[in-house]
Amino acid sequence: MSDRPLFRKVLIANRGEIALRVLRACRDLGLPAVVAYSEADRDSLAVRLADEAVCIGPAAVARSYNNAPAIISAALVTGCDALHPGYGFLAENAYLADICQQVGVAFIGPRPEVIERMGNKAEARKVMREAGVPLLPGTEGVVQTLGDARQAARRIGYPVIIKAVAGGGGRGMRVATNDAELTRLYPLAQAEAESAFGNGEVYLERYLDRPRHVEVQILADHHGHVLALGERDCSLQRRHQKLVEEAPAPNFPRKTRDALLRLAAKGAKAAHYTGAGTLEFLLDREGHFFFMEMNTRIQVEHPITEAVSGVDLVVWQIKVAAGHPLAIDGRATEPHGHAIECRITAEDAAQDFAPNVGVVETYVAPGGPGVRVDSHLYAGYAVPPHYDSLLGKVIVWGKDRPEAIARMERALAETVITGIAHTVPFHRGLIADPAFKRGDVHTGFVAEFQDRYHNHSLAERNGRERAEPVPDTVAAAAPGGGADGASAAEGSR
Ligand code: MV4
């Protein structure tokens, strides 16, 4: 490659730990970076460490991090010729990617048409079906009428799940176990989708009870090379917020994994994908996998894939956006060892994960062999109330899963954060759980863990064995099937 710099300057259009992560990649590449920040983030670590910083508006996200014109203006006035959107906010906004293209700023992500296509979950299903990627039985595209929905559900077989085409991440899903429920829930799902996404279109799929969530990291360049850089198990979630992720997926047969990675790469190729992206799959009890949706961004949990593949995903995102070919030998990225990530948030697990804000009094980050911390915390930092509650991520690597677990226990035990409630104690409980240690994970795991924990402490306090179970989201749904699933989904809002 020539010594010509990749870009003149990169605008980082995000905040928190990911702004810092992207800044570090820019530093590693010798690229100057500008951090775009809101008035609430003036004192953030990314702003302090950046070469340059530019205020894009007030604290409210609609007027700063979600304000495309403000972000584009910031890129232009600071002389940036590339923009990294991070995750969340406008990271999967085709309009921002399109405007970038029009004003000559490289959007570090896929083309706007690809973002748009994958953002429509029914369209994404069509692309994957044509590429031969396994899907759950479901509708070809959007369901237009209740009559069509009932007919489709009879063909698919109950239980079915109604999903918004503009949805994703679990919002606005409804589970129906029979025709009467479908009749009741179909208009509700439509109305919910309309109000949440401004698009009331929905589609149907066969509903799987407590599947595993396994996703595949894709990296693709503008020269037709597509790499599947391994899978992550992200089954440990609470209300669609991931708590723990690991790579490779535990108890996952070699043959299934090979097929998963091969088909995910095929799907990404069919989608004309470029940059870093993720295909999400559900895995059933028998080990069959089914495509669910594609995320067209770098994900929070990308470091575990970096840890086992040796590939710096953010560096490569920037390189492929500049037109560089993927000079990575697919065989060299076979997973080496095992990595686990805990997402530490400013939530109080003892108060049903109520978010809390305040000033970080003390912060002592863990370290030592095999430990990486991606966090924007520092002692004296005031966690602003306007944004999500992620404080940072503890990522560990070990030569095998038991070593990674032991190192996570060590790292979490070393972590000190005072001044605000956080989830480190909850994570320590999860990691120490015998079922987790067996790799016996699924999307109902956290709810079941909380039930065990909650019932146990209540039993202690009340001197009795069982307390009432706590209803949760679809994740908690359904020991015994869809009927509970439907009510749990309904109760989740
Ligand atoms: C499902 C499902 C069961 N069957 N689809 C949740 C997030 C969104 N991306 C899709 N989700 C689900 N889709 C069918 N056909 C169960 C979930 C689901 C879930 C998926 C992954 C991780 C955690 C989850 C928690 C609850 C429900």
Side-chain angles (χ1 to χ4, degrees):
M1 289 316 309
S2 74
D3 289 332
R4 193 166 54 84
L6 296 159
F7 293 113
R8 195 164 56 234
K9 216 196 259 186
V10 179
L11 186 83
I12 301 174
N14 214 298
R15 63 176 305 283
E17 68 87 20
I18 195 64
L20 204 50
R21 171 68 186 92
V22 175
L23 179 60
R24 286 169 172 154
C26 290
R27 285 274 147 75
D28 285 349
L29 287 165
L31 285 174
V34 183
V35 169
Y37 66 95
S38 78
E39 284 169 10
D41 282 332
R42 248 176 230 296
D43 298 324
S44 72
L45 199 49
V47 168
R48 281 199 201 178
L49 296 180
D51 302 277
E52 225 179 301
V54 54
C55 185
I56 49 168
V61 293
R63 299 181 63 196
S64 50
Y65 299 108
N66 279 342
N67 183 350
I71 286 165
I72 294 283
S73 308
L76 295 177
V77 301
T78 56
C80 289
D81 57 352
L83 183 156
H84 197 301
Y87 53 67
F89 301 125
L90 300 177
E92 296 178 89
N93 187 296
Y95 172 76
L96 177 67
D98 188 40
I99 303 290
C100 278
Q101 207 167 48
Q102 289 184 43
V103 299
V105 171
F107 180 81
I108 301 172
R111 284 182 284 270
E113 309 80 56
V114 175
I115 299 178
E116 176 104 31
R117 193 107 204 261
M118 294 299 113
N120 181 310
K121 307 304 168 191
E123 286 292 309
R125 269 177 70 88
K126 283 184 196 164
V127 172
M128 297 307 158
R129 181 191 295 115
E130 280 164 27
V133 180
L135 302 173
L136 281 160
T139 54
E140 280 281 332
V142 174
V143 188
Q144 301 291 358
T145 66
L146 175 61
D148 289 352
R150 293 170 61 185
Q151 198 178 339
R154 276 195 294 275
R155 173 178 59 77
I156 294 164
Y158 284 99
V160 297
I161 184 163
I162 314 168
K163 294 182 171 181
V165 304
R171 296 204 297 155
M173 306 187 314
R174 296 290 178 137
V175 179
T177 48
N178 56 50
D179 190 76
E181 268 181 13
L182 182 66
T183 302
R184 183 168 61 83
L185 295 175
Y186 175 78
L188 272 177
Q190 273 186 322
E192 224 169 63
E194 180 63 48
S195 80
F197 311 110
N199 177 356
E201 293 179 326
V202 298
Y203 64 103
L204 298 189
E205 262 178 19
R206 157 74 61 73
Y207 175 70
L208 283 185
D209 175 37
R210 284 168 299 163
R212 286 172 68 176
H213 171 132
V214 176
E215 59 185 31
V216 177
Q217 178 66 55
I218 296 294
L219 193 55
D221 66 16
H222 286 89
H223 308 275
H225 307 121
V226 178
L227 279 179
L229 285 173
E231 83 286 7
R232 299 182 283 255
D233 188 297
C234 306
S235 297
L236 265 50
Q237 315 202 353
R238 184 188 166 275
R239 306 208 169 147
H240 304 298
Q241 295 300 316
K242 293 170 184 162
L243 293 172
V244 179
E245 304 101 347
E246 57 182 308
N251 301 329
F252 193 43
R254 175 68 204 228
K255 270 178 71 177
T256 318
R257 177 181 191 270
D258 289 347
L260 175 72
L261 296 201
R262 187 174 53 79
L263 287 161
K266 208 165 163 232
K269 200 161 226 172
H272 303 290
Y273 202 78
T274 51
T278 300
L279 281 87
E280 293 186 355
F281 293 85
L282 293 181
L283 189 66
D284 72 12
R285 308 299 172 91
E286 285 77 50
H288 303 115
F289 56 83
F290 307 96
F291 171 79
M292 226 187 354
E293 52 194 72
M294 181 163 196
N295 302 321
T296 58
R297 59 170 191 273
I298 192 78
Q299 290 193 251
V300 176
E301 60 272 27
H302 77 274
I304 56 174
T305 300
E306 296 186 323
V308 297
S309 72
V311 174
D312 187 316
L313 290 167
V314 181
V315 159
W316 275 103
Q317 260 192 307
I318 297 170
K319 286 191 184 189
V320 301
H324 283 219
L326 268 180
I328 298 172
D329 180 353
R331 283 160 305 187
T333 62
E334 278 296 296
H336 178 58
H338 199 93
I340 304 176
E341 174 179 277
C342 286
R343 293 192 190 187
I344 311 306
T345 57
E347 294 173 318
D348 189 349
Q351 302 294 326
D352 197 30
F353 286 80
N356 68 103
V357 292
V359 176
V360 175
E361 243 163 48
T362 332
Y363 173 54
V364 184
V371 177
R372 163 176 170 180
V373 179
D374 278 19
S375 172
H376 56 297
L377 282 199
Y378 59 86
Y381 175 63
V383 177
H386 314 87
Y387 311 111
D388 87 351
S389 56
L390 187 68
L391 295 176
K393 302 152 358 190
V394 176
I395 303 113
V396 298
W397 180 90
K399 64 183 182 306
D400 51 24
R401 191 169 186 269
E403 186 174 85
I405 290 174
R407 282 179 165 169
M408 184 59 85
E409 290 181 317
R410 153 162 71 79
L412 294 177
E414 281 179 24
T415 306
V416 182
I417 305 168
T418 67
I420 49 170
H422 56 77
T423 53
V424 168
F426 188 80
H427 277 102
R428 291 182 73 178
L430 275 178
I431 299 298
D433 192 82
F436 176 75
K437 288 192 166 167
R438 289 194 301 272
D440 202 353
V441 293
H442 55 81
T443 53
F445 186 99
V446 174
E448 289 174 10
F449 169 84
Q450 282 187 288
D451 269 2
R452 282 200 292 281
Y453 183 79
H454 181 79
N455 287 332
H456 174 73
S457 53
L458 271 191
E460 263 178 8
R461 266 186 281 148
N462 302 341
R464 63 188 159 91
E465 276 312 299
R466 293 277 304 175
E468 286 303 299
V470 188
D472 205 333
T473 62
V474 184
D484 298 306
S487 50
E490 231 187 278
S492 75
R493 272 180 277 276

